Amino acid sequence: MVVGGYCPGTSTVALSSGRLDGLVFMIGMVLGTGIFASVFESIKGFYLAAQGPAAQTLDQLLSIPVWAVLILLIAIAIAGFALGTRVERALGGLLNAEELNGGETDEILEEIEIVDVRTG
């Protein structure tokens, strides 16, 4: 859900508006839920090992100061953005709406009626 930006509600709306990625994420959520449910009993002990306030935070788990965890997370985020930028440039840059729709943007726009709604 984080990668695609879809929760169950937004993926349903995306699918109903004709977006194929909405269907892909809906299928992924259903499969992921099914897989988790099927393996839950075998991982239940690990899953329930440290609940709520008794759970360890990263600084406790790694035995390092909180500021070091923050610097580590910031460095990971910067590296992720840098990698994403390099991959994006290697693949030719940002895609516009026409490229994403395979050149069908003009046909789609012709089908949409713009309605002028005035109040008052």
Side-chain angles (χ1 to χ4, degrees):
M1 289 175 15
V2 172
V3 172
Y6 284 123
C7 68
T10 53
S11 62
T12 303
V13 171
L15 177 61
S16 65
S17 64
R19 294 185 53 109
L20 185 59
D21 56 343
L23 175 63
V24 171
F25 280 95
M26 287 178 74
I27 292 170
M29 283 186 271
V30 170
L31 288 175
T33 302
I35 291 169
F36 180 78
S38 67
V39 300
F40 180 73
E41 285 302 319
S42 62
I43 63 169
K44 187 175 182 178
F46 175 76
Y47 187 79
L48 300 175
Q51 300 175 4
Q56 288 184 316
T57 58
L58 280 176
D59 59 308
Q60 295 167 337
L61 185 64
L62 301 174
S63 299
I64 59 176
V66 174
W67 61 266
V69 172
L70 294 175
I71 290 174
L72 179 65
L73 292 175
I74 290 169
I76 291 170
I78 291 170
F81 285 121
L83 176 64
T85 301
R86 292 184 90 182
V87 169
E88 186 177 81
R89 286 184 183 152
L91 296 176
L94 295 173
L95 297 176
N96 60 31
E98 187 171 329
E99 292 168 332
L100 288 172
N101 288 317
E104 299 175 8
T105 305
D106 292 334
E107 294 171 17
I108 293 171
L109 291 176
E110 288 173 4
E111 294 177 17
I112 298 174
E113 284 186 35
I114 299 175
V115 178
D116 185 11
V117 178
R118 297 175 192 240
T119 58

mmCIF file of all heavy atoms in Angstrom, residues 71-118:
data_model
loop_
_atom_site.group_PDB
_atom_site.id
_atom_site.type_symbol
_atom_site.label_atom_id
_atom_site.label_comp_id
_atom_site.label_asym_id
_atom_site.label_seq_id
_atom_site.Cartn_x
_atom_site.Cartn_y
_atom_site.Cartn_z
ATOM 1 N N ILE A 71 19.817 9.505 12.451
ATOM 2 C CA ILE A 71 20.791 9.754 11.374
ATOM 3 C C ILE A 71 20.797 8.589 10.390
ATOM 4 O O ILE A 71 20.845 8.793 9.173
ATOM 5 C CB ILE A 71 22.195 10.012 11.963
ATOM 6 C CG1 ILE A 71 22.202 11.368 12.669
ATOM 7 C CG2 ILE A 71 23.272 9.945 10.882
ATOM 8 C CD1 ILE A 71 23.485 11.686 13.410
ATOM 9 N N LEU A 72 20.720 7.374 10.897
ATOM 10 C CA LEU A 72 20.689 6.185 10.037
ATOM 11 C C LEU A 72 19.449 6.202 9.136
ATOM 12 O O LEU A 72 19.545 5.956 7.925
ATOM 13 C CB LEU A 72 20.714 4.919 10.883
ATOM 14 C CG LEU A 72 20.662 3.591 10.147
ATOM 15 C CD1 LEU A 72 21.903 3.407 9.300
ATOM 16 C CD2 LEU A 72 20.525 2.444 11.140
ATOM 17 N N LEU A 73 18.285 6.525 9.700
ATOM 18 C CA LEU A 73 17.059 6.567 8.904
ATOM 19 C C LEU A 73 17.093 7.686 7.868
ATOM 20 O O LEU A 73 16.634 7.509 6.736
ATOM 21 C CB LEU A 73 15.845 6.709 9.817
ATOM 22 C CG LEU A 73 15.536 5.499 10.702
ATOM 23 C CD1 LEU A 73 14.385 5.805 11.647
ATOM 24 C CD2 LEU A 73 15.228 4.277 9.860
ATOM 25 N N ILE A 74 17.648 8.826 8.233
ATOM 26 C CA ILE A 74 17.790 9.929 7.277
ATOM 27 C C ILE A 74 18.724 9.525 6.141
ATOM 28 O O ILE A 74 18.440 9.794 4.968
ATOM 29 C CB ILE A 74 18.277 11.204 7.994
ATOM 30 C CG1 ILE A 74 17.168 11.753 8.902
ATOM 31 C CG2 ILE A 74 18.727 12.264 6.993
ATOM 32 C CD1 ILE A 74 17.619 12.849 9.849
ATOM 33 N N ALA A 75 19.826 8.853 6.476
ATOM 34 C CA ALA A 75 20.774 8.403 5.446
ATOM 35 C C ALA A 75 20.119 7.390 4.507
ATOM 36 O O ALA A 75 20.328 7.435 3.286
ATOM 37 C CB ALA A 75 22.012 7.792 6.101
ATOM 38 N N ILE A 76 19.310 6.491 5.054
ATOM 39 C CA ILE A 76 18.602 5.514 4.223
ATOM 40 C C ILE A 76 17.622 6.220 3.293
ATOM 41 O O ILE A 76 17.508 5.881 2.109
ATOM 42 C CB ILE A 76 17.892 4.462 5.100
ATOM 43 C CG1 ILE A 76 18.922 3.565 5.784
ATOM 44 C CG2 ILE A 76 16.910 3.630 4.289
ATOM 45 C CD1 ILE A 76 18.354 2.654 6.853
ATOM 46 N N ALA A 77 16.912 7.228 3.809
ATOM 47 C CA ALA A 77 15.962 7.978 2.979
ATOM 48 C C ALA A 77 16.685 8.716 1.855
ATOM 49 O O ALA A 77 16.257 8.681 0.696
ATOM 50 C CB ALA A 77 15.180 8.968 3.844
ATOM 51 N N ILE A 78 17.796 9.366 2.177
ATOM 52 C CA ILE A 78 18.571 10.093 1.148
ATOM 53 C C ILE A 78 19.083 9.121 0.102
ATOM 54 O O ILE A 78 19.007 9.398 -1.106
ATOM 55 C CB ILE A 78 19.713 10.889 1.804
ATOM 56 C CG1 ILE A 78 19.131 12.053 2.617
ATOM 57 C CG2 ILE A 78 20.704 11.399 0.763
ATOM 58 C CD1 ILE A 78 20.137 12.772 3.492
ATOM 59 N N ALA A 79 19.586 7.971 0.532
ATOM 60 C CA ALA A 79 20.079 6.970 -0.419
ATOM 61 C C ALA A 79 18.946 6.462 -1.305
ATOM 62 O O ALA A 79 19.129 6.266 -2.512
ATOM 63 C CB ALA A 79 20.731 5.804 0.336
ATOM 64 N N GLY A 80 17.762 6.270 -0.732
ATOM 65 C CA GLY A 80 16.615 5.824 -1.521
ATOM 66 C C GLY A 80 16.214 6.846 -2.572
ATOM 67 O O GLY A 80 15.942 6.499 -3.724
ATOM 68 N N PHE A 81 16.173 8.120 -2.179
ATOM 69 C CA PHE A 81 15.838 9.167 -3.149
ATOM 70 C C PHE A 81 16.913 9.273 -4.236
ATOM 71 O O PHE A 81 16.598 9.452 -5.405
ATOM 72 C CB PHE A 81 15.657 10.516 -2.452
ATOM 73 C CG PHE A 81 14.376 10.624 -1.696
ATOM 74 C CD1 PHE A 81 14.383 10.867 -0.333
ATOM 75 C CD2 PHE A 81 13.150 10.472 -2.332
ATOM 76 C CE1 PHE A 81 13.202 10.965 0.374
ATOM 77 C CE2 PHE A 81 11.964 10.569 -1.634
ATOM 78 C CZ PHE A 81 11.987 10.814 -0.271
ATOM 79 N N ALA A 82 18.184 9.157 -3.842
ATOM 80 C CA ALA A 82 19.271 9.224 -4.821
ATOM 81 C C ALA A 82 19.180 8.057 -5.804
ATOM 82 O O ALA A 82 19.334 8.238 -7.020
ATOM 83 C CB ALA A 82 20.622 9.223 -4.114
ATOM 84 N N LEU A 83 18.919 6.864 -5.293
ATOM 85 C CA LEU A 83 18.782 5.696 -6.163
ATOM 86 C C LEU A 83 17.588 5.862 -7.093
ATOM 87 O O LEU A 83 17.668 5.585 -8.288
ATOM 88 C CB LEU A 83 18.629 4.423 -5.333
ATOM 89 C CG LEU A 83 18.390 3.136 -6.115
ATOM 90 C CD1 LEU A 83 19.605 2.822 -6.992
ATOM 91 C CD2 LEU A 83 18.099 1.981 -5.173
ATOM 92 N N GLY A 84 16.469 6.328 -6.552
ATOM 93 C CA GLY A 84 15.284 6.555 -7.378
ATOM 94 C C GLY A 84 15.541 7.556 -8.490
ATOM 95 O O GLY A 84 15.106 7.372 -9.628
ATOM 96 N N THR A 85 16.274 8.620 -8.168
ATOM 97 C CA THR A 85 16.616 9.634 -9.172
ATOM 98 C C THR A 85 17.495 9.039 -10.260
ATOM 99 O O THR A 85 17.280 9.292 -11.449
ATOM 100 C CB THR A 85 17.328 10.825 -8.502
ATOM 101 O OG1 THR A 85 16.455 11.377 -7.520
ATOM 102 C CG2 THR A 85 17.692 11.896 -9.514
ATOM 103 N N ARG A 86 18.476 8.239 -9.871
ATOM 104 C CA ARG A 86 19.366 7.622 -10.871
ATOM 105 C C ARG A 86 18.607 6.664 -11.782
ATOM 106 O O ARG A 86 18.807 6.636 -12.993
ATOM 107 C CB ARG A 86 20.514 6.888 -10.181
ATOM 108 C CG ARG A 86 21.482 7.838 -9.487
ATOM 109 C CD ARG A 86 22.620 7.105 -8.904
ATOM 110 N NE ARG A 86 23.659 7.056 -9.936
ATOM 111 C CZ ARG A 86 24.804 6.440 -9.788
ATOM 112 N NH1 ARG A 86 25.071 5.800 -8.675
ATOM 113 N NH2 ARG A 86 25.689 6.448 -10.751
ATOM 114 N N VAL A 87 17.725 5.867 -11.197
ATOM 115 C CA VAL A 87 16.933 4.932 -11.999
ATOM 116 C C VAL A 87 16.009 5.695 -12.937
ATOM 117 O O VAL A 87 15.875 5.355 -14.115
ATOM 118 C CB VAL A 87 16.127 3.974 -11.087
ATOM 119 C CG1 VAL A 87 15.098 3.187 -11.871
ATOM 120 C CG2 VAL A 87 17.060 3.042 -10.326
ATOM 121 N N GLU A 88 15.389 6.742 -12.432
ATOM 122 C CA GLU A 88 14.488 7.553 -13.247
ATOM 123 C C GLU A 88 15.231 8.166 -14.438
ATOM 124 O O GLU A 88 14.746 8.138 -15.565
ATOM 125 C CB GLU A 88 13.889 8.659 -12.371
ATOM 126 C CG GLU A 88 12.840 9.487 -13.043
ATOM 127 C CD GLU A 88 12.255 10.491 -12.064
ATOM 128 O OE1 GLU A 88 12.884 11.549 -11.857
ATOM 129 O OE2 GLU A 88 11.193 10.199 -11.513
ATOM 130 N N ARG A 89 16.423 8.698 -14.191
ATOM 131 C CA ARG A 89 17.226 9.285 -15.277
ATOM 132 C C ARG A 89 17.675 8.219 -16.273
ATOM 133 O O ARG A 89 17.690 8.463 -17.479
ATOM 134 C CB ARG A 89 18.428 10.016 -14.702
ATOM 135 C CG ARG A 89 18.053 11.320 -14.043
ATOM 136 C CD ARG A 89 19.256 12.075 -13.557
ATOM 137 N NE ARG A 89 18.836 13.283 -12.873
ATOM 138 C CZ ARG A 89 19.519 13.874 -11.926
ATOM 139 N NH1 ARG A 89 20.691 13.378 -11.541
ATOM 140 N NH2 ARG A 89 19.066 14.964 -11.352
ATOM 141 N N ALA A 90 18.041 7.039 -15.763
ATOM 142 C CA ALA A 90 18.489 5.961 -16.643
ATOM 143 C C ALA A 90 17.363 5.468 -17.547
ATOM 144 O O ALA A 90 17.612 5.009 -18.663
ATOM 145 C CB ALA A 90 19.037 4.798 -15.808
ATOM 146 N N LEU A 91 16.126 5.587 -17.071
ATOM 147 C CA LEU A 91 14.982 5.125 -17.854
ATOM 148 C C LEU A 91 14.362 6.226 -18.698
ATOM 149 O O LEU A 91 13.288 6.045 -19.263
ATOM 150 C CB LEU A 91 13.927 4.514 -16.932
ATOM 151 C CG LEU A 91 14.369 3.260 -16.176
ATOM 152 C CD1 LEU A 91 13.290 2.795 -15.219
ATOM 153 C CD2 LEU A 91 14.743 2.141 -17.146
ATOM 154 N N GLY A 92 15.009 7.377 -18.767
ATOM 155 C CA GLY A 92 14.532 8.433 -19.652
ATOM 156 C C GLY A 92 13.756 9.543 -18.982
ATOM 157 O O GLY A 92 13.119 10.344 -19.650
ATOM 158 N N GLY A 93 13.751 9.616 -17.678
ATOM 159 C CA GLY A 93 13.095 10.715 -16.990
ATOM 160 C C GLY A 93 11.645 10.436 -16.662
ATOM 161 O O GLY A 93 11.152 9.316 -16.773
ATOM 162 N N LEU A 94 10.979 11.510 -16.257
ATOM 163 C CA LEU A 94 9.579 11.405 -15.865
ATOM 164 C C LEU A 94 8.698 11.057 -17.054
ATOM 165 O O LEU A 94 8.974 11.469 -18.179
ATOM 166 C CB LEU A 94 9.103 12.729 -15.269
ATOM 167 C CG LEU A 94 9.751 13.168 -13.968
ATOM 168 C CD1 LEU A 94 9.297 14.572 -13.606
ATOM 169 C CD2 LEU A 94 9.407 12.209 -12.854
ATOM 170 N N LEU A 95 7.639 10.329 -16.796
ATOM 171 C CA LEU A 95 6.667 10.017 -17.832
ATOM 172 C C LEU A 95 5.507 10.990 -17.723
ATOM 173 O O LEU A 95 5.047 11.304 -16.632
ATOM 174 C CB LEU A 95 6.144 8.588 -17.666
ATOM 175 C CG LEU A 95 7.170 7.473 -17.811
ATOM 176 C CD1 LEU A 95 6.519 6.134 -17.520
ATOM 177 C CD2 LEU A 95 7.781 7.481 -19.179
ATOM 178 N N ASN A 96 5.020 11.455 -18.859
ATOM 179 C CA ASN A 96 3.845 12.312 -18.822
ATOM 180 C C ASN A 96 2.591 11.455 -19.053
ATOM 181 O O ASN A 96 2.672 10.261 -19.300
ATOM 182 C CB ASN A 96 3.949 13.454 -19.849
ATOM 183 C CG ASN A 96 4.071 12.949 -21.270
ATOM 184 O OD1 ASN A 96 3.557 11.900 -21.606
ATOM 185 N ND2 ASN A 96 4.757 13.714 -22.108
ATOM 186 N N ALA A 97 1.432 12.085 -18.984
ATOM 187 C CA ALA A 97 0.175 11.335 -19.095
ATOM 188 C C ALA A 97 0.057 10.625 -20.434
ATOM 189 O O ALA A 97 -0.450 9.503 -20.510
ATOM 190 C CB ALA A 97 -1.004 12.280 -18.888
ATOM 191 N N GLU A 98 0.516 11.245 -21.488
ATOM 192 C CA GLU A 98 0.414 10.623 -22.810
ATOM 193 C C GLU A 98 1.262 9.360 -22.893
ATOM 194 O O GLU A 98 0.839 8.347 -23.438
ATOM 195 C CB GLU A 98 0.838 11.616 -23.889
ATOM 196 C CG GLU A 98 0.598 11.094 -25.294
ATOM 197 C CD GLU A 98 0.825 12.159 -26.351
ATOM 198 O OE1 GLU A 98 0.590 13.343 -26.067
ATOM 199 O OE2 GLU A 98 1.251 11.775 -27.442
ATOM 200 N N GLU A 99 2.462 9.405 -22.336
ATOM 201 C CA GLU A 99 3.327 8.227 -22.355
ATOM 202 C C GLU A 99 2.742 7.096 -21.498
ATOM 203 O O GLU A 99 2.833 5.928 -21.862
ATOM 204 C CB GLU A 99 4.719 8.601 -21.843
ATOM 205 C CG GLU A 99 5.465 9.524 -22.784
ATOM 206 C CD GLU A 99 6.711 10.119 -22.155
ATOM 207 O OE1 GLU A 99 6.746 10.282 -20.925
ATOM 208 O OE2 GLU A 99 7.643 10.428 -22.912
ATOM 209 N N LEU A 100 2.145 7.454 -20.372
ATOM 210 C CA LEU A 100 1.549 6.435 -19.510
ATOM 211 C C LEU A 100 0.355 5.758 -20.157
ATOM 212 O O LEU A 100 0.090 4.586 -19.928
ATOM 213 C CB LEU A 100 1.119 7.053 -18.175
ATOM 214 C CG LEU A 100 2.264 7.435 -17.231
ATOM 215 C CD1 LEU A 100 1.719 8.211 -16.041
ATOM 216 C CD2 LEU A 100 3.010 6.212 -16.768
ATOM 217 N N ASN A 101 -0.387 6.491 -20.987
ATOM 218 C CA ASN A 101 -1.566 5.939 -21.645
ATOM 219 C C ASN A 101 -1.266 5.430 -23.043
ATOM 220 O O ASN A 101 -2.187 5.159 -23.806
ATOM 221 C CB ASN A 101 -2.684 6.993 -21.712
ATOM 222 C CG ASN A 101 -3.291 7.246 -20.367
ATOM 223 O OD1 ASN A 101 -3.550 6.315 -19.623
ATOM 224 N ND2 ASN A 101 -3.507 8.503 -20.033
ATOM 225 N N GLY A 102 -0.021 5.317 -23.393
ATOM 226 C CA GLY A 102 0.345 4.785 -24.706
ATOM 227 C C GLY A 102 -0.075 5.693 -25.846
ATOM 228 O O GLY A 102 -0.440 5.215 -26.922
ATOM 229 N N GLY A 103 -0.051 7.013 -25.632
ATOM 230 C CA GLY A 103 -0.391 7.953 -26.689
ATOM 231 C C GLY A 103 -1.880 8.161 -26.878
ATOM 232 O O GLY A 103 -2.311 8.775 -27.834
ATOM 233 N N GLU A 104 -2.701 7.654 -25.966
ATOM 234 C CA GLU A 104 -4.149 7.745 -26.112
ATOM 235 C C GLU A 104 -4.743 8.942 -25.378
ATOM 236 O O GLU A 104 -5.944 9.033 -25.201
ATOM 237 C CB GLU A 104 -4.802 6.465 -25.588
ATOM 238 C CG GLU A 104 -4.374 5.223 -26.335
ATOM 239 C CD GLU A 104 -4.950 3.965 -25.718
ATOM 240 O OE1 GLU A 104 -5.789 4.071 -24.816
ATOM 241 O OE2 GLU A 104 -4.555 2.879 -26.148
ATOM 242 N N THR A 105 -3.917 9.881 -24.949
ATOM 243 C CA THR A 105 -4.407 11.009 -24.161
ATOM 244 C C THR A 105 -5.427 11.829 -24.926
ATOM 245 O O THR A 105 -6.468 12.198 -24.391
ATOM 246 C CB THR A 105 -3.232 11.904 -23.729
ATOM 247 O OG1 THR A 105 -2.284 11.089 -23.042
ATOM 248 C CG2 THR A 105 -3.705 13.018 -22.816
ATOM 249 N N ASP A 106 -5.158 12.121 -26.204
ATOM 250 C CA ASP A 106 -6.080 12.944 -26.978
ATOM 251 C C ASP A 106 -7.448 12.284 -27.110
ATOM 252 O O ASP A 106 -8.477 12.941 -27.007
ATOM 253 C CB ASP A 106 -5.509 13.230 -28.371
ATOM 254 C CG ASP A 106 -4.282 14.139 -28.306
ATOM 255 O OD1 ASP A 106 -4.186 14.913 -27.319
ATOM 256 O OD2 ASP A 106 -3.442 14.074 -29.215
ATOM 257 N N GLU A 107 -7.465 10.958 -27.334
ATOM 258 C CA GLU A 107 -8.733 10.245 -27.455
ATOM 259 C C GLU A 107 -9.499 10.275 -26.136
ATOM 260 O O GLU A 107 -10.713 10.424 -26.126
ATOM 261 C CB GLU A 107 -8.479 8.792 -27.870
ATOM 262 C CG GLU A 107 -7.887 8.666 -29.262
ATOM 263 C CD GLU A 107 -7.437 7.249 -29.549
ATOM 264 O OE1 GLU A 107 -7.861 6.327 -28.822
ATOM 265 O OE2 GLU A 107 -6.661 7.068 -30.495
ATOM 266 N N ILE A 108 -8.780 10.137 -25.028
ATOM 267 C CA ILE A 108 -9.435 10.161 -23.720
ATOM 268 C C ILE A 108 -10.008 11.544 -23.454
ATOM 269 O O ILE A 108 -11.135 11.681 -22.987
ATOM 270 C CB ILE A 108 -8.439 9.753 -22.615
ATOM 271 C CG1 ILE A 108 -8.059 8.278 -22.775
ATOM 272 C CG2 ILE A 108 -9.028 10.007 -21.232
ATOM 273 C CD1 ILE A 108 -6.931 7.831 -21.897
ATOM 274 N N LEU A 109 -9.243 12.582 -23.760
ATOM 275 C CA LEU A 109 -9.717 13.940 -23.522
ATOM 276 C C LEU A 109 -10.922 14.284 -24.383
ATOM 277 O O LEU A 109 -11.785 15.048 -23.959
ATOM 278 C CB LEU A 109 -8.593 14.951 -23.764
ATOM 279 C CG LEU A 109 -7.454 14.923 -22.739
ATOM 280 C CD1 LEU A 109 -6.360 15.896 -23.147
ATOM 281 C CD2 LEU A 109 -7.961 15.230 -21.349
ATOM 282 N N GLU A 110 -11.003 13.724 -25.582
ATOM 283 C CA GLU A 110 -12.144 13.998 -26.441
ATOM 284 C C GLU A 110 -13.430 13.393 -25.871
ATOM 285 O O GLU A 110 -14.518 13.899 -26.105
ATOM 286 C CB GLU A 110 -11.899 13.439 -27.843
ATOM 287 C CG GLU A 110 -10.857 14.230 -28.622
ATOM 288 C CD GLU A 110 -10.500 13.567 -29.945
ATOM 289 O OE1 GLU A 110 -11.125 12.533 -30.291
ATOM 290 O OE2 GLU A 110 -9.600 14.064 -30.612
ATOM 291 N N GLU A 111 -13.297 12.311 -25.113
ATOM 292 C CA GLU A 111 -14.463 11.652 -24.549
ATOM 293 C C GLU A 111 -14.985 12.345 -23.293
ATOM 294 O O GLU A 111 -16.101 12.121 -22.878
ATOM 295 C CB GLU A 111 -14.125 10.199 -24.219
ATOM 296 C CG GLU A 111 -13.830 9.367 -25.453
ATOM 297 C CD GLU A 111 -13.431 7.954 -25.089
ATOM 298 O OE1 GLU A 111 -13.689 7.529 -23.948
ATOM 299 O OE2 GLU A 111 -12.865 7.262 -25.958
ATOM 300 N N ILE A 112 -14.163 13.179 -22.699
ATOM 301 C CA ILE A 112 -14.550 13.852 -21.453
ATOM 302 C C ILE A 112 -15.264 15.165 -21.796
ATOM 303 O O ILE A 112 -14.745 15.980 -22.524
ATOM 304 C CB ILE A 112 -13.320 14.143 -20.583
ATOM 305 C CG1 ILE A 112 -12.629 12.840 -20.185
ATOM 306 C CG2 ILE A 112 -13.715 14.946 -19.350
ATOM 307 C CD1 ILE A 112 -11.329 13.037 -19.455
ATOM 308 N N GLU A 113 -16.436 15.333 -21.252
ATOM 309 C CA GLU A 113 -17.159 16.595 -21.432
ATOM 310 C C GLU A 113 -16.869 17.488 -20.238
ATOM 311 O O GLU A 113 -16.944 17.045 -19.091
ATOM 312 C CB GLU A 113 -18.660 16.355 -21.490
ATOM 313 C CG GLU A 113 -19.138 15.782 -22.790
ATOM 314 C CD GLU A 113 -20.664 15.701 -22.824
ATOM 315 O OE1 GLU A 113 -21.322 16.591 -22.259
ATOM 316 O OE2 GLU A 113 -21.164 14.744 -23.390
ATOM 317 N N ILE A 114 -16.540 18.715 -20.523
ATOM 318 C CA ILE A 114 -16.319 19.661 -19.440
ATOM 319 C C ILE A 114 -17.619 20.438 -19.227
ATOM 320 O O ILE A 114 -18.135 21.075 -20.145
ATOM 321 C CB ILE A 114 -15.156 20.618 -19.768
ATOM 322 C CG1 ILE A 114 -13.886 19.800 -19.954
ATOM 323 C CG2 ILE A 114 -15.012 21.668 -18.684
ATOM 324 C CD1 ILE A 114 -12.693 20.597 -20.396
ATOM 325 N N VAL A 115 -18.138 20.339 -18.043
ATOM 326 C CA VAL A 115 -19.420 20.971 -17.731
ATOM 327 C C VAL A 115 -19.153 22.223 -16.917
ATOM 328 O O VAL A 115 -18.421 22.193 -15.925
ATOM 329 C CB VAL A 115 -20.312 20.009 -16.927
ATOM 330 C CG1 VAL A 115 -21.624 20.671 -16.569
ATOM 331 C CG2 VAL A 115 -20.537 18.725 -17.722
ATOM 332 N N ASP A 116 -19.730 23.335 -17.335
ATOM 333 C CA ASP A 116 -19.576 24.586 -16.615
ATOM 334 C C ASP A 116 -20.706 24.695 -15.599
ATOM 335 O O ASP A 116 -21.874 24.807 -15.971
ATOM 336 C CB ASP A 116 -19.623 25.750 -17.609
ATOM 337 C CG ASP A 116 -19.339 27.079 -16.938
ATOM 338 O OD1 ASP A 116 -18.909 27.082 -15.778
ATOM 339 O OD2 ASP A 116 -19.576 28.133 -17.582
ATOM 340 N N VAL A 117 -20.341 24.609 -14.345
ATOM 341 C CA VAL A 117 -21.336 24.683 -13.293
ATOM 342 C C VAL A 117 -21.207 26.045 -12.623
ATOM 343 O O VAL A 117 -20.173 26.397 -12.098
ATOM 344 C CB VAL A 117 -21.116 23.559 -12.244
ATOM 345 C CG1 VAL A 117 -22.131 23.665 -11.125
ATOM 346 C CG2 VAL A 117 -21.170 22.211 -12.904
ATOM 347 N N ARG A 118 -22.275 26.797 -12.660
ATOM 348 C CA ARG A 118 -22.273 28.114 -12.031
ATOM 349 C C ARG A 118 -23.319 28.116 -10.934
ATOM 350 O O ARG A 118 -24.431 27.656 -11.127
ATOM 351 C CB ARG A 118 -22.576 29.210 -13.059
ATOM 352 C CG ARG A 118 -21.505 29.275 -14.117
ATOM 353 C CD ARG A 118 -21.878 30.277 -15.177
ATOM 354 N NE ARG A 118 -20.974 30.100 -16.296
ATOM 355 C CZ ARG A 118 -20.172 31.047 -16.738
ATOM 356 N NH1 ARG A 118 -20.169 32.222 -16.170
ATOM 357 N NH2 ARG A 118 -19.389 30.831 -17.750
#
